[in-house]
């Protein structure tokens, strides 16, 4: 739970790697993002698609990393590098004063990250959310007066430890435990990760799962980080 009024708080969405408005980004884990950019808290962001390097002239990634395009709108400290897929994809805007709005920015676009669906709207669970499929999940939301941000990651695909939760359960958790008024669903499954900085290195708080390996992080397109300075 984040106090958005804390004066030393600064957000960072993963910036583009190639300094182009529509360039793909190089896949990195949430831990790598945290250490690379010196933030103190990070979660995974939007879903993504693989980009064939042969289709993007002059663009490549170090260490043989894959190129990814975020699924929908993304902006990093004033630079928009991915456009909205369609109107059903919710966008969380965070302006330079840490004011959070949904689907419409307040003032100039600063940071923005997208999800695949809205989970909570005006304090109510969105109708029609899946109530049967258990998966790892990542979600983010805010309370009614915009003072508090809630980030939540649920582990899954690990029988005997955690099988995951449904989208309906995720929305209910946000309302019950976080007092959330509006929230969106970020990428889940093997992408779900929550990391904090500890003694200068990444400390993974959850048990991510990639390729069936518990504790292994997945390279993803973008992330949302919090820097305290």
């Amino acid at each position: 739970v984040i106090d958005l009024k804390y004066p030393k708080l600064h957000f960072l969405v993963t910036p583009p790697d190639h300094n182009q408005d529509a360039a793909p980004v190089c896949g990195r884990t949430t831990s790598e993002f945290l250490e690379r950019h010196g933030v103190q808290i990070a979660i995974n962001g939007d879903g993504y698609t693989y980009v064939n390097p042969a289709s993007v002239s002059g663009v490549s990634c170090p260490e043989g990393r894959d190129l990814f395009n975020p699924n929908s709108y993304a902006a990093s400290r004033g630079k928009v590098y991915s456009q909205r897929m369609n109107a059903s994809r919710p966008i969380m805007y965070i302006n330079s004063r840490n004011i959070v709005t949904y689907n419409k920015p307040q003032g100039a676009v600063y940071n923005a990250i997208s999800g695949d669906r809205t989970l909570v709207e005006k304090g109510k669970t969105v109708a029609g959310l899946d109530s049967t499929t258990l998966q790892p999940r990542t979600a983010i939301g805010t309370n009614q007066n915009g003072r508090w941000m809630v980030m939540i990651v649920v582990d899954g695909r690990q029988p005997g430890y955690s099988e995951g939760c449904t989208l309906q359960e995720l929305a209910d958790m946000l309302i019950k435990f976080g007092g959330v008024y509006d929230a969106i669903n970020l990428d889940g499954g093997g992408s779900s990760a929550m990391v904090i900085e500890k003694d200068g290195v990444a400390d993974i708080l959850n048990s991510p799962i990639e390729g069936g390996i518990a504790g292994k992080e997945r390279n993803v397109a973008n992330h949302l980080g919090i820097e305290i300075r």
Side-chain angles (χ1 to χ4, degrees):
V1 179
I2 309 299
D3 183 357
L4 296 176
K5 298 297 183 182
Y6 185 65
K8 296 183 179 181
L9 190 74
H10 302 270
F11 284 92
L12 176 67
V13 172
T14 307
D17 285 274
H18 304 98
N19 200 33
Q20 300 177 34
D21 288 345
V25 294
C26 299
R28 292 185 176 89
T29 68
T30 305
S31 290
E32 288 173 328
F33 163 76
L34 179 139
E35 293 178 353
R36 177 182 174 88
H37 295 285
V39 298
Q40 279 66 59
I41 304 169
I43 58 173
N44 66 288
D46 194 6
Y48 54 89
T49 55
Y50 170 76
V51 177
N52 186 340
S55 69
V56 189
S57 177
V59 173
S60 62
C61 291
E63 303 164 359
R65 295 174 183 273
D66 288 331
L67 283 168
F68 295 136
N69 273 330
N71 280 346
S72 195
Y73 193 88
S76 179
R77 294 185 175 173
K79 187 171 186 63
V80 178
Y81 62 93
S82 182
Q83 298 300 319
R84 193 174 194 180
M85 178 185 284
N86 55 55
S88 70
R89 296 265 175 169
I91 305 169
M92 173 183 276
Y93 291 96
I94 308 171
N95 72 12
S96 59
R97 294 181 292 133
N98 293 342
I99 296 172
V100 176
T101 55
Y102 297 86
N103 300 322
K104 184 177 180 181
Q106 182 169 315
V109 172
Y110 194 56
N111 284 306
I113 199 161
S114 297
D116 67 347
R117 74 198 69 209
T118 299
L119 295 170
V120 180
E121 190 170 27
K122 296 182 179 179
K124 303 292 184 182
T125 300
V126 171
L129 293 177
D130 179 83
S131 60
T132 59
T133 307
L134 299 173
Q135 290 288 353
R137 308 286 185 185
T138 302
I140 187 167
T142 46
N143 75 331
Q144 186 169 1
N145 66 11
R147 172 76 184 261
W148 301 97
M149 174 181 283
V150 176
M151 299 175 171
I152 186 167
V153 167
V154 178
D155 288 326
R157 299 181 183 173
Q158 298 171 63
Y161 166 65
S162 179
E163 295 182 349
C165 73
T166 69
L167 291 171
Q168 178 72 51
E169 288 172 328
L170 185 61
D172 291 343
M173 277 186 242
L174 286 159
I175 294 170
K176 182 177 179 180
F177 297 112
V180 165
Y181 192 70
D182 292 288
I184 65 174
N185 186 60
L186 299 176
D187 195 19
S191 299
S192 288
M194 180 179 285
V195 182
I196 63 170
E197 179 267 328
K198 185 176 181 181
D199 298 326
V201 297
D203 183 25
I204 307 172
L205 297 183
N206 69 309
S207 178
I209 186 161
E210 163 63 352
I213 302 173
K216 182 180 179 181
E217 285 186 82
R218 174 182 289 176
N219 290 327
V220 299
N222 65 4
H223 320 76
L224 178 63
I226 294 174
E227 180 184 8
I228 308 298
R229 57 176 167 83

